[in-house]
Amino acid sequence: MIDARRLRILRAVADHRTVTAAAAALYLTPSAVSQQLAALEQETGHRLVERGARGARLTAAGEILLSHANVVLAQLERAEAELAEYGAGVAGTVTVAAFATGIGLVLAPALTELARTAPGIRVRVQDAEGDASVPMVLDRQVDVAVAVEYRGAPAEDDRRLTRVPLYSEPFDAVLPVDHRLADQDQVAVADLSKDSWISPYPGNPCHDVVVLACEYAGFAPRFEHSSDDFRAVVALAGADAGVALVPRSALRGMELTGVVVRPVEGSAPTRRVFAAVRQGAEGHPLIRPVLDAMEAVAVREAGLARA
């Protein structure tokens, strides 16, 4: 009989590529993870993980078991959801990881909505960059992620997750007020090829959007300054330190001293935002109202296109 808890450990090793990282995500010791993997290999009669200098990877047998593990774990999530619904007088805590703009634009208004429609649900919010929250869901550190599309993100058909599109938004060009293109109604990214650039750090999904937009325009941007705080990005542009592409919602209510903001000419780079939960958990009587509230806010109040 295969122990489902060991399947979660196998999936964590596949996700994190090392036993040490998987152990940290699961709040276990590396030796405990190794012991559980050894027990799982004994249960299945197959070697499932190979370890080397570059980390751990699944064997062919491990990949086969992982594909079934995703189905089994999703079904267990559904079972928990149905049992919770059966026992519901709906009250409990849901933990949501979201990036700062997503918190302000969608999640915080959703909390106001939930206080009225589902007062028994307590939502705990954790600030996490757009590429960090999905791994937190998969590792069961949080229940819901508000995330953005990024290179290396799980695909839309990933069997570990259920995704709810929230909104999409364009990036606008932020230029120093005396920039040579400041008087134009729109700015072509290609026309910024010789400028210095200000961007979030590599690994931040918004950095990927900027790089790809510049690649499509035929050049590699020269990054001079880096910050994951868009207020700092705008302040640097206002100090004539460079140009930037910034998600439109991040500019809302921001002090724009010393800069002009212009739409990007043509097909603007876009940030797509979605909520994600472990597959099978989308029907949980505590989680479903949170997803519904965020989706309703995104439609009613965000003023942005659906993702």
Side-chain angles (χ1 to χ4, degrees), residues 25 32 38 59 62 65 75 81 115 131 150 167 172 210 223 228 238-239 262 287 295:
T59 64
L65 183 58
Q75 193 60 40
D131 59 335
Y150 61 95
Y167 64 89
D172 289 327
V210 173
F223 293 117
D228 287 333
R262 297 290 181 262
I287 292 174
E295 190 173 16

Side-chain angles (χ1 to χ4, degrees), residues 14-69:
D15 287 342
H16 294 280
R17 306 300 178 95
T18 71
V19 168
T20 300
L26 297 171
Y27 300 101
L28 298 172
T29 65
S31 61
V33 168
S34 295
Q35 289 170 8
Q36 292 299 314
L37 287 174
L40 185 59
E41 289 180 330
Q42 186 172 6
E43 287 173 346
T44 61
H46 293 279
R47 186 172 185 179
L48 303 173
V49 178
E50 290 182 348
R51 303 187 203 188
R54 305 180 97 180
R57 68 178 186 85
L58 299 192
T59 64
E63 293 287 353
I64 291 170
L65 183 58
L66 179 63
S67 68
H68 291 284

Side-chain angles (χ1 to χ4, degrees), residues 96-112:
V96 183
F99 59 100
T101 308
I103 292 172
L105 189 64
V106 174
L107 184 51
L111 298 187
T112 302

Side-chain angles (χ1 to χ4, degrees), residues 111-131:
L111 298 187
T112 302
E113 180 82 7
L114 286 166
R116 181 180 62 82
T117 61
I121 298 177
R122 175 172 175 255
V123 179
R124 294 179 58 229
V125 179
Q126 296 185 22
D127 192 332
E129 288 300 332
D131 59 335

Side-chain angles (χ1 to χ4, degrees), residues 47-288:
R47 186 172 185 179
L48 303 173
V49 178
E50 290 182 348
R51 303 187 203 188
R54 305 180 97 180
R57 68 178 186 85
L58 299 192
T59 64
E63 293 287 353
I64 291 170
L65 183 58
L66 179 63
S67 68
H68 291 284
N70 290 330
V71 176
V72 169
L73 295 175
Q75 193 60 40
L76 286 174
E77 293 282 356
R78 292 188 187 96
E80 291 179 8
E82 289 186 17
L83 286 170
E85 186 173 20
Y86 174 77
V90 180
T93 300
V94 176
T95 305
V96 183
F99 59 100
T101 308
I103 292 172
L105 189 64
V106 174
L107 184 51
L111 298 187
T112 302
E113 180 82 7
L114 286 166
R116 181 180 62 82
T117 61
I121 298 177
R122 175 172 175 255
V123 179
R124 294 179 58 229
V125 179
Q126 296 185 22
D127 192 332
E129 288 300 332
D131 59 335
S133 55
V134 170
M136 294 170 72
V137 165
L138 291 173
D139 292 335
R140 302 179 71 85
Q141 296 173 15
V142 299
D143 302 304
V144 182
V146 177
V148 301
E149 294 287 359
Y150 61 95
R151 282 197 276 195
E156 290 189 30
D157 60 354
D158 191 307
R159 296 174 71 179
R160 299 171 298 172
L161 296 166
T162 295
R163 297 176 19 152
V164 178
L166 294 177
Y167 64 89
S168 62
E169 61 175 323
F171 281 61
D172 289 327
V174 178
L175 313 176
V177 71
D178 59 354
H179 191 273
R180 65 188 184 281
L181 303 178
D183 292 335
Q184 295 192 6
D185 293 333
Q186 296 182 321
V187 173
V189 174
D191 291 340
L192 302 174
S193 62
K194 303 302 182 184
D195 288 88
S196 298
W197 281 76
I198 310 157
S199 170
Y201 284 100
N204 185 310
C206 290
H207 178 86
D208 287 347
V209 172
V210 173
V211 171
L212 287 171
C214 294
E215 286 179 0
Y216 291 148
F219 70 96
R222 186 175 76 253
F223 293 117
E224 293 288 347
H225 308 283
S226 298
S227 174
D228 287 333
D229 186 334
F230 285 117
R231 290 169 299 181
V233 170
V234 170
L236 287 167
D240 203 18
V243 300
L245 294 176
V246 176
R248 185 166 293 172
S249 66
L251 296 169
R252 290 185 174 187
M254 190 183 294
E255 181 64 46
L256 299 174
T257 302
V259 302
V260 295
V261 178
R262 297 290 181 262
V264 172
E265 184 178 281
S267 181
T270 300
R271 172 163 75 171
R272 290 178 172 80
V273 180
F274 61 92
V277 298
R278 292 179 296 278
Q279 191 170 106
E282 64 275 5
H284 193 287
L286 295 178
I287 292 174
R288 185 73 253 170

